[in-house]
Amino acid sequence: MTQIVYLKPPENIADRAATLRISTRTAHEGVDEAIMKSGALDSPQNYHRFVHFQHQLILDVEPLYRREDLQKIFPDLSQRSRLAAVQSDAAYLGIDPPIGRSGADLYDIGIPEALGWLYVSEGSNLGAAFLAKLVWAHGLTDDAGATHLAPPAIGRAAHWRAFTASLNAVEQTPDEDRRTIESARRAFAHVRALIGSHL
Ligand code: HEM
């Protein structure tokens, strides 16, 4: 069971992304460990379960990528969606799509909560560099089964820096920042639950 340690809400979060990283480190480690232990990346057959898990997660967060209020904060938000990519991977591999969304309806959550979810969703692109290498070893490539793990055209680091610059520029009260942290933890808990049911 992940032990959650609440940080005191900082007076002024100069680097919100760094605070989120520290506040969700245990949750991230739990997710990372659970994926590796599941063996989902050990063979092409097992990788099908991983794609099904990613498809569900990406579908669940998709409403955020379509929200106009969030596009004002992250101008390239709609291009960041990986839904089309994971759909093409699922189709290529012959994997059934999820029946529908699972969990909270993210169309309706507040901006502080949305920032926490987006942090988790966008951050997973960084870890994808490591996952992609494991998957390529099975002969699955960027345009054949592993499109959703491919690096963005500008590179993963630059893509992440652009996201965190916008994330850090949002003005929030200490209470709103606390809500963002709690929401990122909830997002990781959701990911963990999906790992449990899919992998
Ligand atoms: C086996 C699975 C995973 C591994 C090995 C992994 C590994 C990593 C690594 C190495 C980084 C840092 C990359 C860098 O700084 O360049 C990272 C970042 C991150 N990952 Fe994962 N990851 C995994 C799965 C996930 C998943 C499923 C999620 C959430 C859906 C996630 C969320 C994040 C977040 C939010 C960050 C950004 C941390 C920051 O603020 O710098 N990861 N991951």
Side-chain angles (χ1 to χ4, degrees), residues 17 21 28 31-32 35-36 53 57 119-120 123-124 126-127 130-131 160 188 191:
R21 185 199 305 122
H28 181 273
V31 159
D32 170 351
I35 292 177
M36 297 316 287
F53 151 70
L57 177 59
Y119 164 78
V120 174
S124 73
L126 290 176
F130 172 78
L131 305 183
W160 177 243
F188 267 117
V191 174

Side-chain angles (χ1 to χ4, degrees), residues 55-136:
H55 200 162
Q56 182 70 66
L57 177 59
I58 290 170
L59 187 69
D60 291 347
V61 296
E62 179 64 13
L64 295 172
Y65 290 81
R66 299 188 182 199
R67 277 177 47 168
E68 277 178 27
D69 54 350
L70 297 174
Q71 274 169 36
K72 287 187 189 130
I73 297 174
F74 305 99
D76 62 347
L77 192 60
S78 59
Q79 290 106 274
R80 287 177 173 269
S81 163
R82 285 185 291 162
L83 187 58
V86 80
Q87 280 169 340
S88 83
D89 290 337
Y92 178 84
L93 297 167
I95 301 165
D96 287 338
I99 298 161
R101 287 205 179 88
S102 66
D105 186 346
L106 303 183
Y107 275 118
D108 294 331
I109 59 174
I111 297 230
E113 284 76 17
L115 298 183
W117 274 92
L118 279 176
Y119 164 78
V120 174
S121 172
E122 286 300 302
S124 73
N125 282 328
L126 290 176
F130 172 78
L131 305 183
K133 280 192 193 143
L134 297 180
V135 171
W136 291 335

